[in-house]
Amino acid sequence: MKTRIRRRVKTRIRRRLSADAALLLVALTFVLPLAWVVLSSVDADANLRVKWPSQLTFGNFDDVLKPDVTFTPLLNSLILCGCATALTVGCAALAAYPLSRYRSRLNNPFLTTTLFATCLPITAVMVPVYALFVQVNLIDTMAGTIYFFAASQLPFAVWLMKNFMDGVPKELEEAAWTDGANTFQGLVRIVLPLMGPGVAVVTVYSFAMMWGNFFVPFMLLLSPDQMPASVSINDFFGNRGTVVYGQLAAFSIIYSTPVVLLYVLVSRRFGGGFALGGAVKG
Amino acid sequence: MALFLAGPIAYCAYIAFTDLQLTGQAESSFVGFDNFTAAFKDPAFLNAVWLTLVFTFLSSIVGQNTLGLALAALMQRASKPVRTITGAVVVTAWVLPEVVAGFLMYAFFRREGTLNAILDWLQLPHQNWLFTLPILAVSFANVWRGTAFSMLVYSAALAEIPTEVTESAQVDGANAWQRLWHITLPMIRRSIGTNLMLNTLQTLSVFGLIWVMTRGGPGNDSQTLPLFMYEQAFQKSMIGYGTAVALLLLVVGSLFSLVYMRLLRTED
């Protein structure tokens, strides 16, 4: 009996060790490209290989932290994504509220359409959107890009928002109504604060998606001074002669930091995976 | 939403049937199905379709899906620090902006890049990956970037399987493969379905990653449909034709989308 238990413990340990080894191997392959960007950013003569910096320096960051290289694109990104996120979250809240609270014959078709739209490849819409924007004079305007960003993110935001809103008990608003609040006040004062984590997830998710999006601003914006960071990073290639990999790496890090931080913040507070598990299940 | 999504789609459906061009032509005229027939006769288009299929199959169905499942399964057994480290690394790759991910993979696969350095070190023959096997390189890049999603989905799904079931199977003498095949996989069937669907849709519309790494080249060797569409519509200024391609892409996307909704419905 005892030997059997011991053997079992042994196999369990062996199994754990082999799982550990396999995972570490995968992690190593995944980490190599990340290591490149971190090490190169502080390397005085960075090239394309992962290597220990021959000379530790923050010169790359100094070179990159200039108005036209970093600050303007980042500011553009911030304006674009900030406005679009605000728009998305506002509209999503307004749209999710009736979907979550009132039974109507239109609910199901609407939700189905939303879900359907969530899945469409946005890339495919870009060419016609471009043609459309040319005709209505929205091309190369921040406003147009913001509208489109918001619209493209909205289906998923509505869907997420509705799922979170379903978790808020209806009685609380009814109490507010009897105290004389109207529907809108009920939404803004009672429901939204109560689903704070949900709103945070929708906000962060929308923001992160737009922050990283390359194709939309790449197509809809033309003038260099309006380019967000996702597109201006391209300038490190080609347009400025030889590529300075150290600077490219430094810029990549600066540009990625906000979304990574936001992600860490959200997953710390509200559980991992952006609470996407729930969203995926519907 | 109706204006900015449905509008373009309707407009898209319309100009796909015209010969609208960006330059040199004031009026567009209705050309019926010409754009579509032209597309299906165009070897570059067929090449793009083929590459899209390869790319989607390799990176989404084989790569992200299988690797995600394997990681999730291994994580159940592994010790906590290893689990945390691996999870963090894989998720970081996912959170990074698309363009940055593209650059990192570009650096990884270049002739002077890290991959070849490793191969040299292992004394294996190296080659110029982005030139000789671009579609493989971009597929790998997409796996690198997208696996985290599958991993999260499958981790959630595996956590829901009651341990008694697997343990009783183990007592009955089922080995690891048998347990995987007869118990685990059937129990997470739906997650597999939804995950495959979302991965495929995601992969279908990848643009930035490939654009940064290879621009669809060399030649057309990594030109998937989104890149083909972009080239036709903007570099060659044939908006009508590009839109026809976009419409086809959209139709494929909608089909997947419908299947996905079916899957969700059976879940309720």
Side-chain angles (χ1 to χ4, degrees), chain A:
Chain A
M1 194 66 195
K2 239 181 193 169
T3 48
R4 223 170 119 192
I5 291 175
R6 198 176 296 154
R7 197 182 307 148
R8 237 202 209 158
V9 171
K10 232 183 207 166
T11 38
R12 184 161 294 175
I13 290 176
R14 207 178 56 216
R15 221 180 257 158
R16 166 176 292 188
L17 283 179
S18 58
D20 279 359
L23 278 184
L24 281 178
L25 191 70
V26 175
L28 190 70
T29 8
F30 268 77
V31 94
L32 277 173
L34 294 173
W36 174 75
V37 77
V38 175
L39 292 175
S40 303
S41 69
V42 290
D43 193 341
D45 55 356
N47 57 21
L48 282 167
R49 279 187 188 190
V50 177
K51 66 178 169 68
W52 204 247
S54 49
Q55 196 189 345
L56 207 64
T57 167
F58 286 99
N60 291 322
F61 285 96
D62 283 342
D63 289 339
V64 172
L65 284 173
K66 281 181 204 141
D68 62 322
V69 184
T70 303
F71 296 130
T72 317
L74 280 185
L75 187 69
N76 287 337
S77 279
L78 202 64
I79 296 174
L80 275 179
C81 303
C83 293
T85 306
L87 204 59
T88 308
V89 174
C91 292
L94 289 177
Y97 187 67
L99 285 173
S100 159
R101 287 300 186 255
Y102 301 106
R103 305 226 150 266
S104 137
R105 205 183 293 160
L106 283 176
N107 266 9
N108 254 331
F110 189 85
L111 269 180
T112 319
T113 320
T114 313
L115 191 57
F116 181 69
T118 306
C119 298
L120 288 180
I122 286 295
T123 317
V125 197
M126 285 321 293
V127 176
V129 166
Y130 180 87
L132 193 67
F133 270 32
V134 169
Q135 301 214 329
V136 294
N137 266 333
L138 275 173
I139 208 76
D140 199 24
T141 58
M142 285 284 210
T145 314
I146 290 171
Y147 291 145
F148 182 73
F149 254 149
S152 66
Q153 202 55 47
L154 203 50
F156 190 62
V158 170
W159 181 254
L160 261 181
M161 196 72 108
K162 192 231 160 217
N163 283 345
F164 283 120
M165 212 176 263
D166 286 345
V168 178
K170 208 180 166 182
E171 291 76 33
L172 291 168
E173 295 153 76
E174 280 164 357
W177 292 341
T178 42
D179 288 345
N182 62 26
T183 320
F184 186 70
Q185 282 169 333
L187 171 65
V188 174
R189 297 252 175 90
I190 311 285
V191 183
L192 288 182
L194 278 174
M195 48 181 287
V199 177
V201 169
V202 176
T203 310
V204 169
Y205 185 80
S206 309
F207 188 83
M209 284 317 259
M210 294 171 195
W211 187 264
N213 196 312
F214 162 74
F215 200 34
V216 173
F218 178 63
M219 301 263 293
L220 297 183
L221 293 173
L222 306 171
S223 41
D225 56 321
Q226 293 195 35
M227 286 300 175
S230 56
V231 183
S232 77
I233 195 175
N234 240 335
D235 292 350
F236 283 96
F237 261 80
N239 300 359
R240 292 183 191 187
T242 51
V243 190
V244 186
Y245 290 109
Q247 294 185 12
L248 175 68
F251 184 79
S252 299
I253 287 184
I254 297 172
Y255 164 52
S256 310
T257 309
V259 275
V260 176
L261 277 184
L262 276 177
Y263 178 83
V264 172
L265 225 77
V266 166
S267 56
R268 269 281 157 76
R269 286 200 55 191
F270 312 118
F274 265 177
L276 269 183
V280 170
K281 275 195 212 145

Side-chain angles (χ1 to χ4, degrees), chain B residues 55-216:
Chain B
F55 178 63
T56 312
F57 181 75
L58 276 184
S59 65
S60 149
I61 297 176
V62 177
Q64 296 182 1
N65 187 53
T66 317
L67 186 62
L69 181 60
L71 285 177
L74 284 171
M75 276 184 165
Q76 282 203 312
R77 288 197 203 148
S79 55
K80 191 147 189 298
V82 176
R83 201 163 46 202
T84 321
I85 294 172
T86 317
V89 170
V90 176
V91 170
T92 311
W94 180 53
V95 179
L96 283 184
E98 193 178 13
V99 188
V100 175
F103 278 126
L104 297 191
M105 295 323 280
Y106 174 82
F108 188 70
F109 279 110
R110 273 301 293 250
R111 190 197 288 273
E112 318 86 60
T114 308
L115 179 61
N116 280 336
I118 298 172
L119 289 179
D120 280 346
W121 185 63
L122 293 171
Q123 311 217 318
L124 290 171
H126 71 246
Q127 51 182 315
N128 192 352
W129 297 99
L130 289 176
F131 199 78
T132 49
L133 290 166
I135 196 72
L136 200 66
V138 290
S139 299
F140 182 84
N142 195 38
V143 172
W144 184 79
R145 189 172 133 74
T147 301
F149 182 76
S150 307
M151 188 185 79
L152 293 172
V153 171
Y154 285 134
S155 291
L158 289 179
E160 275 174 15
I161 296 179
T163 43
E164 298 89 56
V165 182
T166 34
E167 265 168 18
S168 66
Q170 197 169 2
V171 170
D172 290 346
N175 65 29
W177 284 115
Q178 285 171 331
R179 269 176 310 185
L180 176 72
W181 189 250
H182 291 293
I183 296 173
T184 313
L185 286 185
M187 285 188 89
I188 59 167
R189 195 175 68 239
R190 293 206 173 111
S191 298
I192 298 180
T194 35
N195 182 51
L196 271 180
M197 205 49 65
L198 290 176
N199 270 346
T200 314
L201 282 164
Q202 187 73 39
T203 307
L204 216 53
S205 56
V206 168
F207 178 88
L209 196 65
I210 305 181
W211 177 258
V212 168
M213 285 177 70
T214 65
R215 311 253 143 152

